[in-house]
Amino acid sequence: MEQIIQEMKNIGIQDVRVNEPLSRHTTWKVGGPADLLIYPRNKEELEQAMQVVYRHQIPWRVIGRGSNLLVRDGGIRGVVFKLDEGFNELKVDGTRVTAGGGYSTILLATMTSRQGLTGLEFAAGIPGNVGGAVYMNAGAHGSEISKVLHSATVLLETGEWVTLSNEEMEFRYRTSVLQTKLKGIVTEASFTLEYGERDEIMSRLTSYKDRRRKTQPLQYPCAGSVFRNPPGDYAGRLIQEAGLKGFRIGDAEVSTTHANFIINRGNATAKNVLQLIEHIIQTIEEKYNIRLEPEVQVVGEE
């Protein structure tokens, strides 16, 4: 890794961290170390860093705000890119809104609503950043990214740039082409919104934010909804009906506020969370003959 570190410094990347604990970078506050955690400051640095990684055939992944992500206790081998300040621009041109991959999804919903643009209010309750939201087709309140995305700028692992249209993103429920066929990083996304009545939009936004505060255990480290909703039902309802609210393994606990959330009560490990996820899956399958699928991404080594 010494050669990789030196090459990263040679292309101007100043923030390269060795064996960085990813518990510092995930909303669950669990996870082992990354061999290298790299903060590129702009697209040019990211492109050059990706070319280094590709040339040496080093495994890599990208994280944003670390929501919807469970890193195992052994951490992640290879390189982890973190999109932060250099990828948080916002541009508004009429009803076309373009945001950097590192821009907060909640802030995007707030800023567009304040300008009387409708279409992204649903994202007011979605933690994380724009790149991750596009990658997983994030959604809430009956809407999702696929309904408003115009196009996404993606850096492929080869170091090439592509612009993918909504159709080319091949969106499905909580997934996209970036999870199935193409490996790349969303550095920018453009959305097509509509003009609306600002007071009505802000009222809708506020109600979503209030609902989030009242129905989600935001006082504890968590990662958002853990399971995908099965067809015609809700994962949270099934988990609650199965009597699993408050069930705990180590410091990982099924939230008593919202059953589709697992909270870290202070010292949970990724292993605790994974064991609890498996216990929930088995319990629901035995009781209802429904196998829940995790929505959170599980990465890294034991």
Side-chain angles (χ1 to χ4, degrees), residues 30 54-55 65 67 72 74 91 173 198 221 227 242 247 255:
V30 301
Y54 186 71
R55 186 166 62 250
R65 295 170 190 268
S67 61
R72 293 187 177 96
K91 294 175 284 186
Y173 179 67
R198 183 181 180 278
F227 297 99
F247 187 87
S255 170

Side-chain angles (χ1 to χ4, degrees), residues 69 77 82 157 189 203 227 275:
L69 183 67
R77 304 288 70 78
K82 182 157 184 177
E157 64 176 348
S203 176
F227 297 99
Q275 288 173 332

Side-chain angles (χ1 to χ4, degrees), residues 46-47 58 103 113 123 127 143 146 148 184 192 208 237 254 275 282 298:
L46 177 62
E47 177 185 334
I58 299 168
Y103 199 85
S113 295
S143 193
S146 64
V148 289
T192 302
Y208 289 158
R237 187 196 73 79
V254 178
Q275 288 173 332
Q282 290 179 358
V298 181

Side-chain angles (χ1 to χ4, degrees), residues 165-179:
S165 67
N166 187 303
E167 183 178 353
E168 290 170 328
M169 285 296 299
E170 296 183 11
F171 287 122
R172 298 193 307 279
Y173 179 67
R174 301 297 176 266
T175 190
S176 72
V177 70
L178 297 176
Q179 295 184 47

